[in-house]
């Protein structure tokens, strides 16, 4: 069985606030873009963090772009159907701006294109090697936006080209200006068969390139390596390079002991990267502007690199317990499991349900998708609280990704547990018939919920959950407890029986915490999130205007979570609303819908496409706000 592509445990130790602060507050570098490889003042792996809010993940656009060299269009026998290099370079720059490309590996940047690019764009882009190493190395220059990135090191590697003649091809170490995240970028052009069979030279090129990637990863742990280029091969390039390295292609596929699984519709142009990067939004662009610019597709993808705090964290599993009918005013944070969550974790008793609904099912779906309810505003569209046989795809009018999607697509197992049939809709919405395709790495299939357990009551559900956690824990678990809401609506949310059941829920949570602590697989590696899906007010348990219905607790506990912290203090971008039910516009209160992208961020995964709440994944539990 191949391993999960969710980040493996980084450490077995419990990270303290001081250690996380040390990880984040390191010295930055100010090095001129495109400079030589003189030793910089910061070493690979060190970071600079700016701003009051702890930074979220770094997301940027990276590209492999064969320009169609000027030598093919500007001479005596120009390529039919293409303008000369000047107008085509103008279009290339339009593509860079249209796609918001931050770092690009160019191939076939000939002298005329280099001269124009530096004349027009030197104030916006750094470039290496350009003309620093001679005419042939210029063809494979790497460019980066200097407003976002600065160069720390500029290097080259000799790669065999036509007839085995070696050409120096570039790799650079860049640092992101805002976050301090560093990354290596390697860009190559392996030889075609235009001057005789060149497969043996391409094979040798791949061997050298793979060795370089492995050396960079060994010498600079934690610094991702990106690899762009025109490889003039498809599976002959892909299978050896992913088998020999940690590289994963932005368009999927992979290699393990069972063999090589190639991506669909392979091109000879490639974009790959190593952990901790996750790619999203891969495209091989061939629109009219691209066709008027080059004879190759332009390869573009979003690269997502987790924050420094997440990279330093040992968390590789998350358990979310949603509790229906859990009023904030009913909790005693001085003892028991609730007291432990408050003392050892980060909490707020003033979180909010969705604005549109205080019913359990709509709020469960918001916690799983990061979306509001209103379908017209890109919400999930589930306004009711019972299973009507529908799926979220139909209520929203579009496919809606959930936590289950991203965790499953990255090779992690998922588990769903409930005892009310309304949660059947959750399982059905992401089952084999209704789940989306998997575009990342290996194809793990459409069924995103690996195991769905529906127990008869909360006690049975929690005992099954505990047994599963101790025996074969999933990377992501969502468990929905419903007894408290039933008791509140039947006996009153201020009744003695309701209070008694609040205590029962507390003990169930406490047993779950004990199972996590007592498990070799989970201890020191698991984040627990407890959230009220809705509150409750006697006689008006579904009234969206009553603060007792929309005010709910949100509690986070696990390794590295800032102990004893208030979630609003940790997250100054969110504003405590007092007794009001404020909307989603900034500054917004903490809605429980932030849970979706919080779960993904601590697992080192990107935000859910189309999500609204915490979509920049800056909702923070692992370090305090930075001054």
């Amino acid at each position: 069985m191949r391993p999960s592509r969710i980040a493996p445990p980084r450490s077995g130790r419990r990270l303290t606030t001081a250690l996380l602060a040390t990880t984040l507050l390191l010295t930055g570098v100010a090095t001129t873009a495109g400079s030589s490889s003189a030793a910089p003042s910061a070493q690979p792996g060190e970071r600079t963090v700016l701003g009051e809010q702890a930074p979220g993940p770094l997301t940027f656009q990276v590209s492999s772009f064969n320009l169609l060299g000027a030598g093919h269009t500007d001479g005596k026998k120009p390529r039919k159907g293409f303008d000369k290099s000047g107008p085509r370079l103008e279009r290339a720059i339009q593509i860079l701006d249209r796609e918001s490309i931050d770092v690009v590996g160019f191939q076939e940047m000939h002298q005329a294109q280099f001269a124009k690019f530096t004349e027009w764009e030197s104030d916006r882009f750094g470039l290496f090697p350009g003309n620093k190493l001679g005419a042939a190395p210029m063809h494979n220059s790497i460019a980066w936006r200097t407003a976002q990135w600065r160069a720390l090191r500029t290097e080259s590697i000799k790669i065999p080209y036509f007839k085995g003649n070696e050409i120096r091809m570039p790799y650079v170490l860049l640092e992101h200006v805002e976050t301090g995240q560093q990354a290596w970028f390697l860009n190559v052009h392996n030889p075609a068969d235009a001057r005789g069979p060149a497969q043996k030279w391409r094979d040798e090129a791949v061997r050298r390139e793979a060795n370089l990637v492995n050396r960079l990863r060994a010498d600079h742990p934690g610094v991702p390596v990106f690899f762009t280029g025109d490889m003039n091969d498809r599976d002959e390039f892909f299978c050896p390079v992913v088998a020999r390295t940690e590289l994963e292609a932005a368009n999927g596929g992979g290699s393990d002991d069972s063999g090589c699984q190639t991506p669909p519709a392979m091109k000879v142009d490639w974009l790959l990267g190593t952990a901790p990067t996750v790619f999203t939004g891969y495209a091989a662009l061939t629109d009219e502007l691209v066709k008027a610019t080059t004879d190759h597709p332009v390869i573009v993808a979003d690269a997502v690199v987790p924050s420094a705090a997440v990279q330093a964290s040992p968390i590789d599993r998350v358990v979310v317990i949603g509790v229906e009918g859990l009023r904030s005013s009913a909790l005693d944070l001085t003892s028991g499991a609730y007291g432990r969550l408050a003392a050892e974790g980060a909490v707020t008793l003033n979180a909010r349900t969705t604005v549109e609904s205080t019913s359990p099912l709509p709020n469960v779906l918001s916690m799983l998708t990061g979306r509001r309810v209103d379908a017209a505003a890109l919400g999930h569209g589930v306004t009711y609280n019972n299973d009507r046989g529908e799926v979220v795809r139909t209520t929203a009018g579009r496919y809606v990704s959930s936590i289950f999607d991203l965790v499953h697509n990255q090779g992690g197992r998922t588990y769903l547990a409930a005892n009310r049939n309304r949660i059947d809709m959750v399982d059905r919405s992401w089952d084999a018939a209704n789940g989306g395709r998997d575009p990342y790495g290996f194809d793990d299939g459409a069924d995103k919920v690996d195991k769905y357990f529906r127990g008869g009551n909360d006690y049975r559900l929690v005992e099954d959950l505990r047994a599963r956690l101790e025996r074969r824990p999933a990377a992501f678990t969502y468990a929905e407890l419903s007894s408290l809401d039933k008791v509140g609506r039947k006996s009153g949310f201020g009744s003695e029986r309701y209070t008694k059941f609040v205590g029962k829920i507390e003990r169930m949570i406490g047993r779950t915490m004990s199972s996590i602590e007592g498990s070799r697989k989970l201890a020191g590696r698991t984040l627990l999130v407890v959230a009220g899906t809705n509150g409750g007010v006697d006689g008006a348990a579904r009234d969206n205007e009553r603060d007792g219905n929309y005010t709910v607790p949100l509690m986070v506990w696990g390794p590295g979570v800032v102990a004893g912290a208030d979630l609003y203090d940790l997250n100054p971008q969110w504003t405590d609303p007092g007794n009001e039910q404020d909307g989603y516009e900034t500054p917004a209160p903490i809605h429980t819908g932030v849970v979706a992208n919080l779960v993904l961020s601590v697992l080192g995964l990107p935000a859910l496409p189309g999500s609204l709440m915490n979509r920049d994944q800056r909702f923070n539990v692992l370090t305090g706000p930075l001054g």
Side-chain angles (χ1 to χ4, degrees), residues 33-34 62-69 89 92 96 101-118 121 125-145 153-157 161 167-174 185-190 226-230 270:
V62 61
S63 174
S64 185
F65 196 149
N66 187 312
L67 288 169
L68 181 58
L89 184 64
L96 294 181
I101 294 168
D102 300 297
V103 182
V104 54
F106 287 123
Q107 301 89 44
E108 297 191 28
M109 177 177 262
H110 291 181
Q111 175 62 43
Q113 290 152 311
F114 164 72
K116 287 295 184 183
F117 189 83
T118 52
E121 296 297 331
F125 285 91
L127 189 75
F128 180 79
N131 61 358
K132 291 181 175 64
L133 303 179
M138 172 196 299
H139 296 177
N140 301 301
S141 292
I142 300 170
W144 58 90
R145 292 185 188 268
R153 290 175 59 179
T154 55
E155 307 281 359
S156 65
I157 179 176
Y161 202 56
I167 294 176
R168 295 169 72 182
M169 299 194 187
Y171 61 101
V172 301
L173 176 66
L174 302 182
F185 295 86
L186 165 65
N187 180 55
V188 305
H189 193 170
N190 293 344
F226 294 90
F227 187 14
T228 57
D230 176 354
W270 289 92

Side-chain angles (χ1 to χ4, degrees), residues 178-197:
E178 180 182 356
T179 65
Q181 175 66 52
Q182 295 173 9
W184 288 102
F185 295 86
L186 165 65
N187 180 55
V188 305
H189 193 170
N190 293 344
D193 293 332
R195 301 184 186 179

Side-chain angles (χ1 to χ4, degrees), residues 279-293:
F279 288 111
T280 64
Y282 171 89
L285 303 174
T286 57
D287 56 76
E288 292 305 312
L289 181 59
V290 171
K291 290 179 179 178
T293 304

Side-chain angles (χ1 to χ4, degrees), residues 423-492:
I423 305 300
D424 291 356
M425 183 189 194
V426 175
D427 178 54
R428 188 170 57 250
S429 292
W430 292 287
D431 65 11
N434 297 295
R437 71 182 187 90
D438 177 3
Y440 309 122
F442 284 96
D443 185 354
D444 294 296
D447 191 352
K448 311 305 181 186
V449 181
D450 290 300
K451 176 67 176 177
Y452 176 36
F453 174 84
R454 180 129 78 79
N457 55 58
D458 285 353
Y459 179 83
R460 182 183 171 196
L461 183 153
V462 168
E463 291 310 298
D464 182 84
L465 169 62
R466 293 178 63 208
R468 192 165 297 277
L469 289 174
E470 293 167 3
R471 184 175 65 252
R472 194 170 182 237
F476 171 65
T477 295
Y478 182 82
E480 178 79 357
L481 306 183
S482 61
S483 61
L484 192 61
D485 189 62
K486 289 186 284 187
V487 168
R489 287 187 292 112
K490 183 176 181 179
S491 301

Side-chain angles (χ1 to χ4, degrees), residues 338-511:
Y338 300 136
R340 285 195 65 192
L341 289 168
E344 301 171 15
V347 308
T348 179
L349 296 183
N350 207 27
R352 291 292 182 266
T353 66
T354 62
V355 174
E356 301 97 324
S357 176
T358 57
S359 293
L361 182 58
N363 282 283
V364 170
L365 288 164
S366 289
M367 283 200 290
L368 293 172
T369 66
R371 297 188 184 227
R372 60 186 296 170
V373 175
D374 185 3
L378 299 182
H380 55 70
V382 179
T383 59
Y384 45 82
N385 195 42
N386 58 314
D387 184 14
R388 299 182 179 180
E390 295 182 303
V391 294
V392 173
R393 185 198 296 263
T394 57
T395 60
R398 62 187 67 81
Y399 188 76
V400 172
S401 294
S402 68
I403 304 174
F404 295 113
D405 282 84
L406 266 67
V407 173
H408 181 84
N409 290 348
Q410 294 297 333
R413 287 182 297 106
T414 60
Y415 175 66
L416 171 66
N419 56 48
R420 297 297 298 272
N421 64 358
R422 56 174 164 253
I423 305 300
D424 291 356
M425 183 189 194
V426 175
D427 178 54
R428 188 170 57 250
S429 292
W430 292 287
D431 65 11
N434 297 295
R437 71 182 187 90
D438 177 3
Y440 309 122
F442 284 96
D443 185 354
D444 294 296
D447 191 352
K448 311 305 181 186
V449 181
D450 290 300
K451 176 67 176 177
Y452 176 36
F453 174 84
R454 180 129 78 79
N457 55 58
D458 285 353
Y459 179 83
R460 182 183 171 196
L461 183 153
V462 168
E463 291 310 298
D464 182 84
L465 169 62
R466 293 178 63 208
R468 192 165 297 277
L469 289 174
E470 293 167 3
R471 184 175 65 252
R472 194 170 182 237
F476 171 65
T477 295
Y478 182 82
E480 178 79 357
L481 306 183
S482 61
S483 61
L484 192 61
D485 189 62
K486 289 186 284 187
V487 168
R489 287 187 292 112
K490 183 176 181 179
S491 301
F493 287 91
S495 67
E496 182 178 345
R497 187 161 181 258
Y498 175 84
T499 302
K500 180 180 178 180
F501 266 77
V502 170
K504 286 187 175 182
I505 297 296
E506 179 267 322
R507 289 187 288 277
M508 292 178 193
I509 294 170
R511 289 198 298 274

Side-chain angles (χ1 to χ4, degrees), residues 130-298:
N131 61 358
K132 291 181 175 64
L133 303 179
M138 172 196 299
H139 296 177
N140 301 301
S141 292
I142 300 170
W144 58 90
R145 292 185 188 268
T146 51
Q148 281 79 42
W149 296 88
R150 53 178 166 240
L152 302 183
R153 290 175 59 179
T154 55
E155 307 281 359
S156 65
I157 179 176
K158 291 182 179 180
I159 297 296
Y161 202 56
F162 289 136
K163 300 185 183 301
N165 294 319
E166 294 181 332
I167 294 176
R168 295 169 72 182
M169 299 194 187
Y171 61 101
V172 301
L173 176 66
L174 302 182
E175 181 180 69
H176 189 252
V177 172
E178 180 182 356
T179 65
Q181 175 66 52
Q182 295 173 9
W184 288 102
F185 295 86
L186 165 65
N187 180 55
V188 305
H189 193 170
N190 293 344
D193 293 332
R195 301 184 186 179
Q199 188 64 57
K200 70 175 182 178
W201 303 120
R202 290 196 294 273
D203 292 345
E204 173 60 18
V206 171
R207 186 189 68 80
R208 295 187 191 184
E209 291 152 5
N211 287 344
L212 174 61
V213 171
N214 289 336
R215 177 169 64 79
L216 293 175
R217 288 292 288 160
D219 292 347
H220 312 293
V223 179
V225 179
F226 294 90
F227 187 14
T228 57
D230 176 354
M231 310 309 181
N232 277 303
D233 264 332
R234 293 176 174 82
D235 55 337
E236 297 93 341
F237 163 77
F238 174 79
C239 290
V241 81
V242 297
R244 295 171 182 170
T245 69
E246 301 175 40
L247 288 165
E248 291 193 353
N251 54 327
S255 179
D256 64 7
D257 293 341
S258 65
C260 178
Q261 183 184 105
T262 57
M266 290 182 288
K267 313 296 181 184
V268 298
D269 306 276
W270 289 92
L271 169 54
L272 308 97
T274 69
T277 307
V278 177
F279 288 111
T280 64
Y282 171 89
L285 303 174
T286 57
D287 56 76
E288 292 305 312
L289 181 59
V290 171
K291 290 179 179 178
T293 304
T294 177
D295 58 348
H296 283 249
V298 176

